[in-house]
Each structure stands twice: as C-alpha cells, then as structure tokens.
Amino acid sequence: MSFITRGFTGRGRERDPRLPPGQTLVEDWPVLSAGPTPDIDTADWEFVVVTENGRHTWTWDEMQALGVEDVTVDIHCVTHWSKLEMPWRGVPLDKVFENVETTHDYVMAHSYGGYTTNVPLDELLDGQAWIAIEADGEPLSPEHGGPARLLVPHLYFWKSAKWIRGLVTMPSDDPGFWEQNGYHLHGDPWQEERYW
Amino acid sequence: MHLDGNAVAGALADAFGRDVTSAEASCGSCGARQAVASASAYVSAMGWVLRCVHCDAVLAVLIETEGHVRMSMAGVSSLDMPVAGGGA
Amino acid sequence: MTRRPTGWHAAKVTALHPETASARRIELEVPTWPGNDPGAHLDIRLTAPDGYQASRSYSIASSGEGTRVVLAVDEVPNGEVSPFLVEDLLVDDMLEVHGPLGSYFIWSPDSEERPVQLIAGGSGVVPLFAMAEAHALAGDASGFRMLYSVRTPADRFFASDLEGFAAHGSLQLDYVYTRQTPAGWAVPPGRITREVLEAAAWPAEVRPIVYVCGPTPFVETVAGWLTELGHDPRAVLTERFGGG
Ligand SMILES: Cc1cc2nc3c(=O)[nH]c(=O)nc-3n(C[C@H](O)[C@H](O)[C@H](O)COP(=O)(O)OP(=O)(O)OC[C@H]3O[C@@H](n4cnc5c(N)ncnc54)[C@H](O)[C@@H]3O)c2cc1C
Ligand SMILES: [Zn+2]
C-alpha cells in the first residue's frame, strides 16, 4: 500500500546537466553519520599507509608539508543530493604515494571511529583524490570529517571517508562498511552504481 | 544527531512482524545486554546503524535498496524477547 | 500490556488545531487502527508524485482502544517533513501511517503500581502526555509527576489539559523555562540543572519508573544525572527525538 500525499513534493529537486542520473542539487551540506563523531586534535592526528612492504606515517605538519592544493569539485551523495563547484583544499594522494611501493591494486581506507571503505588504488592517483583539510574556505568541521577526510569526488561521497586515519593496500577488492551492507563495491555516480 | 532504537521500531517491525524495541540484545563485542530501544541509532538516508550503548560497536545495519530491505545483525550475539502469554 | 499488531494504515486527517506558535495538533481517523498503549509512536510516510518518499516518527498523544489518533508536531525550521505537517496538511487529507510502534517506551494503567516520573524536553512531552492522561482517566493510584522543560510559557503543549490533571491531583506538574518565564516566576530562565531535577523529581528511594523524552542532548544529560542521583538505570526509560 502506498499512495501519493497531496501537496507533498519533498525538498526541491532541480535538474542540471552536470548532475548524474537520479541526483538533485542542494545548497546546504547535509551531514550523514553512521556513528559517533570522533574528536581528534591535529596534535595527535597521524596518517598511515600500510602495504605488503611496510608502514609509512605522517604527522599533521608532515602531511601539510607534502603540499596542499586548491581544487574545485562536484560531490555526489548516493542519497541523491549533489553539490556543484565546491572549493576544497587538500594534499593530493599522488604526493602521499610518491615513495610507497606496492603491487596491490586496492586500498581499504580506515577512519578514526572504525569506519572503512574500499577504493581501487589507481582511482586514488593521477589527481583524482586528496586528503582534504578545508572545504568552502573553512577548516573541515568534525561533523564533516575534520580534521581530515578522504576526498574522491568522482565516486559517491561515502567513499570520501570522514576522519581519515590511514590506507591499507590489499590484493583484492574487499568490501568496506557500507559495501558489506549492500552498497556498491565501486560507486560511480555516472553509472548509478548505488547497490550490489 | 543520533537517535535510539525507538526510532527504528518501524523498520524492525517490518522485518520481525512484531515490535522488538523491548527485546534485549546482547552486544557481540562487549557482551552488554540492552533493550533494543536503548541502543544508539544513527539514521540517515543511506540507512541506519544501531550501535551498542556501552561500547559503540555496530549491532545492526539496515539499508533499503530498490525493492529490498537488507538487514545485517552480525553484531548481535543474541536477541531475547518475551512471547505472548509467556512468563509462567 | 496488550500485544497489538503493528501494520501500515491509511489515516484521514479529521481536525487540525494550533498547539503553539510553531506546533500543530493533528487528529487522525484510522479505521483499521488496533488501539495503542500510552507512549507509543507511529511512522508517517509521505510520497511525492515522482515516487520520492520521506518518513518520520511521531509520538501518539492519545491512547487506548478506538480509531482516533492524536499527534502534536513541532515545526523544525527547514525540516523536510514537519513543515509540511504543520503548514500544508489539510483536513480530509490522507496519510500513510505505520504503527502502533514501541513496546519499550510505554506505560499502562495495569503495569506494576510504582511512582512514575515523567521528564519532557520540548515536543518530547507528547508520549508523556498520553501516559499522564491515561493515568488520570484510569484513576490509577501510582503517584505521577511531570517535569517539563520548555522554551517559554507559550510553547507548552497540552497546557490546559496538564493544568487540569494537576488541579485534580492526578499529576504533580513542574516547569523549567529555558528562554522566558511567566511574570513573577521565582527563577530566571535557564536550562534544567541537576539541582532542579533533584528537587522536582521523585527521589531514587521510592523506586520510581522514570520516562525521559526530548531532544537527544536533553535526554542524555538528564539520564546521566538520574544515574548519578542513584536511580536504577533499568528503571530510567528514554526516547530520543534527535535535533538539539
Ligand atoms: C520515536 C520518535 C518520536 C517522535 N515524536 C515526535 C513528536 O511527537 N512530535 C514532534 O514534533 N517530533 C517528534 N519526533 C521528531 C520527528 O521524527 C522529526 O525528527 C522532526 O519532525 C523533524 O523532521 P523534519 O523532516 O521536519 O526535519 P529533517 O529534515 O529531518 O531535519 C532538518 C534539520 O533539523 C534537525 N532536526 C531533526 N529532528 C529534529 C528535532 N526533533 N528537533 C530539532 N531539530 C531536529 C536535523 O538535524 C536537521 O539538521 C520524534 C522522533 C522520534 C525518533
Ligand atoms: Zn558493546
């Protein structure tokens, strides 16, 4: 049983050719959380990359020293909202992986608080992904993933893990948190890769 | 802002065919028992996540895909609920 | 407590009244409703012409047998569902509802005779009002107290009914005003404190059942103080509405 509710349209859902199928433009920035918001001081923050060959770690200052750049990207949430031309600042993952050797093709992103999400390694390189520290001209607030989150704008936004803590390379494409629970392993918004 | 298990009573009732907010769930991580209603619920358009009120471990996850509801209860080691006319 | 089947129902809006400047009382006629216990809630699901759906939970201010279901909804600015319910809904509109829900956060006149402490923040008073009304109607002997935290006198839900229960002695009613008090009120406006809670609520020694409902931060703060004040955590039942 389901019927149309007279007068209900939901939030405005406009069309724009820059929007992938099934997406709607929003002006605000909705917050989606699957768990408590961790409170991380940049003095304690540490970023780690783990491969079959060992560990690489960066402190907050060491990460910034790799080189922060400005980017303007569109973001697309699987819950049907998109934000266009959003200004961000972050360290490109190309810099992070400059001295990292691995034969693995996939990466599991791990967050403070335990969240995980899987991404193919080659989709994090060539200017496609960042460790982001600012958005809309402001340091990232804890509710939006601060002090640092992964930013992989060409995939649905759940791949842009909030409160990023490290990347662990892996030989096969194992599912992260949402991917284990029914969301798509890859998550390309232009292909509408929402669910398994 | 998180909610609690009361907020997911409807989805659980669809899955179990009855209200389970007063059922006692044991956490698979820390072992604590809690009424489903008192577990923490993180509800968003992606789905909802029910977490142990004592240790924040994930108890259950529910997502709705086109035409399906998929629920994982991997974090619950047992669910204890009264039966109608029981208790004697 | 009776076990009532939960299901989806078609509800017709039969009456709408302003409850406060920002909230509305909504009366529904639900022909297939199995009745509900005091404290239960339901989910409302709205469907747009393109198939888009949104659903939210609302506590039920009414209880008992019968097919009349009363809600009270506060408008959350820029919310998706509450502004529709408070501003756009019309008498004779149809709504899809799922319920009754909740076997945990309920009180019923035939439960164990024990003092009851109700603690409400804002619209969190709705399920607690249903309990207070059921208690008043049943002439139940358990001692009922309500501590109600609300922004201003004009923001009180069910003000005249609650005053009536208090006047008849079925409810001891205390208010905490957070933004503005009535004229001549003894204390300046401010958030609830542990001291106010301790002074107004049943003490732990009388083993009350305590129901706490409202915005999540309010519920967590009050529940924490109750534990500190010696209340048995299993006798402190909570329902979080979100927001803040
Ligand atoms: C079990 C249960 C029973 C409830 N009973 C009632 C009731 O009887 N009466 C009632 O008015 N509400 C009740 N609520 C709250 C209700 O379900 C909605 O959350 C509320 O109406 C806001 O929905 P919305 O779509 O308008 O806002 P949304 O579009 O969901 O939210 C818009 C913004 O407001 C914030 N927000 C969401 N909920 C609240 C809130 N409750 N208070 C303040 N800010 C909020 C969000 O964080 C978001 O930023 C209940 C909630 C639960 C879980
Ligand atoms: Zn636990």
Side-chain angles (χ1 to χ4, degrees):
Chain A
M1 178 197 82
S2 200
F3 51 81
I4 291 167
T5 315
R6 182 212 57 79
F8 177 70
T9 55
R11 284 194 216 287
R13 294 191 299 293
E14 286 165 41
R15 290 303 317 159
D16 184 309
R18 294 169 298 171
L19 292 177
Q23 296 296 108
T24 309
L25 206 54
V26 292
E27 292 305 326
D28 58 338
W29 187 5
V31 174
L32 261 70
S33 288
T37 299
D39 181 9
I40 310 139
D41 195 324
T42 52
D44 307 325
W45 187 86
E46 186 188 53
F47 187 77
V48 48
V49 171
V50 181
T51 71
E52 73 277 25
N53 301 315
R55 280 167 62 91
H56 307 253
T57 61
W58 292 263
T59 63
W60 184 256
D61 292 338
E62 288 165 350
M63 179 60 70
Q64 314 263 329
L66 292 179
V68 180
E69 63 183 36
D70 286 279
V71 284
T72 300
V73 296
D74 301 340
I75 62 173
H76 308 293
C77 180
V78 70
T79 65
H80 300 276
W81 58 260
S82 294
K83 272 178 88 64
L84 301 178
E85 301 195 7
M86 198 178 173
W88 290 78
R89 280 171 65 73
V91 177
L93 280 175
D94 298 291
K95 291 276 173 57
V96 173
F97 277 90
E98 225 155 44
N99 299 311
V100 174
E101 291 291 331
T102 178
T103 58
H104 292 162
D105 289 333
Y106 301 94
V107 162
M108 187 69 82
H110 289 260
S111 296
Y112 288 93
Y115 180 79
T116 55
T117 188
N118 56 298
V119 189
L121 177 55
D122 62 7
E123 298 201 29
L124 293 179
L125 304 176
D126 298 323
Q128 296 185 90
W130 294 264
I131 302 296
I133 57 169
E134 281 182 28
D136 282 330
E138 305 271 348
L140 274 177
S141 64
E143 58 172 0
H144 285 302
R149 75 182 294 164
L150 193 60
L151 176 63
V152 197
H154 73 286
L155 298 177
Y156 279 126
F157 206 48
W158 87 78
K159 297 287 187 180
S160 294
K162 297 199 269 193
W163 315 302
I164 190 72
R165 165 176 209 174
L167 302 172
V168 179
T169 64
M170 48 187 188
S172 57
D173 200 8
D174 298 339
F177 176 76
W178 284 118
E179 295 84 358
Q180 284 168 34
N181 285 294
Y183 282 94
H184 201 277
L185 266 184
H186 183 226
D188 179 347
W190 294 95
Q191 305 299 322
E192 281 211 86
E193 293 172 344
R194 296 178 193 276
Y195 310 108
W196 291 350
Chain B
M1 180 60 58
H2 71 279
L3 297 165
D4 58 38
N6 293 299
V8 299
L12 288 170
D14 269 344
F16 285 91
R18 55 174 287 179
D19 188 278
V20 294
T21 52
S22 52
E24 297 259 326
S26 297
C27 171
S29 283
C30 75
R33 271 167 72 104
Q34 59 211 282
V36 168
S38 52
S40 307
Y42 293 82
V43 180
S44 77
M46 273 192 90
W48 53 251
V49 180
L50 204 59
R51 290 178 179 266
C52 175
V53 70
H54 300 284
C55 76
D56 278 331
V58 175
L59 297 175
V61 181
L62 179 140
I63 76 160
E64 271 175 67
T65 67
E66 289 99 354
H68 280 267
V69 173
R70 186 189 313 271
M71 180 157 59
S72 146
M73 291 194 39
V76 178
S77 58
S78 71
L79 194 62
D80 190 333
M81 53 191 132
V83 291
Chain C
M1 183 192 87
T2 44
R3 174 77 50 72
R4 302 178 194 268
T6 289
W8 287 95
H9 305 272
K12 184 178 190 164
V13 179
T14 51
L16 296 163
H17 312 280
E19 186 67 49
T20 69
S22 64
R24 193 187 221 188
R25 196 180 301 197
I26 299 171
E27 291 190 25
L28 303 173
E29 169 60 25
V30 192
T32 52
W33 192 249
N36 64 273
D37 294 310
H41 68 275
L42 50 69
D43 289 348
I44 294 184
R45 181 166 71 189
L46 307 180
T47 304
D50 64 0
Y52 172 79
Q53 295 188 321
S55 92
R56 295 291 184 278
S57 302
Y58 292 96
S59 296
I60 305 169
S62 52
S63 68
E65 310 312 314
T67 55
R68 178 173 161 274
V69 173
V70 181
L71 310 177
V73 176
D74 201 16
E75 180 168 349
V76 171
N78 303 316
E80 180 165 35
V81 170
S82 61
F84 172 81
L85 296 174
V86 173
E87 287 178 22
D88 302 337
L89 194 68
L90 300 175
V91 169
D92 287 343
D93 278 350
M94 298 296 295
L95 290 173
E96 258 182 289
V97 302
H98 186 207
L101 299 168
S103 52
Y104 168 85
F105 200 76
I106 59 169
W107 175 85
S108 93
D110 40 78
S111 28
E112 186 191 355
E113 194 180 298
R114 233 170 123 168
V116 171
Q117 177 68 52
L118 309 174
I119 305 177
S123 58
V125 74
V126 177
L128 307 185
F129 172 78
M131 297 178 193
E133 186 187 53
H135 171 255
L137 293 175
D140 174 87
S142 22
F144 257 58
R145 289 187 180 182
M146 177 185 282
L147 178 57
Y148 183 4
S149 166
V150 63
R151 279 174 301 216
T152 75
D155 287 306
R156 291 174 299 167
F157 283 40
F158 311 109
S160 60
D161 296 288
L162 289 172
E163 303 295 345
F165 303 153
H168 284 99
S170 78
L171 183 69
Q172 179 186 316
L173 183 58
D174 289 285
Y175 290 104
V176 172
Y177 294 102
T178 60
R179 300 266 177 80
Q180 183 202 320
T181 66
W185 196 252
V187 284
R191 292 197 173 194
I192 188 170
T193 61
R194 206 184 111 152
E195 291 63 43
V196 168
L197 176 69
E198 188 170 11
W202 283 114
E205 297 75 67
V206 306
R207 294 181 54 252
I209 302 185
V210 189
Y211 294 85
V212 190
C213 186
T216 299
F218 174 88
V219 170
E220 303 208 329
T221 303
V222 168
W225 286 334
L226 288 165
T227 312
E228 288 168 22
L229 292 169
H231 289 264
D232 175 0
R234 283 165 307 169
V236 176
L237 308 188
T238 51
E239 185 161 273
R240 293 161 183 79
F241 276 13

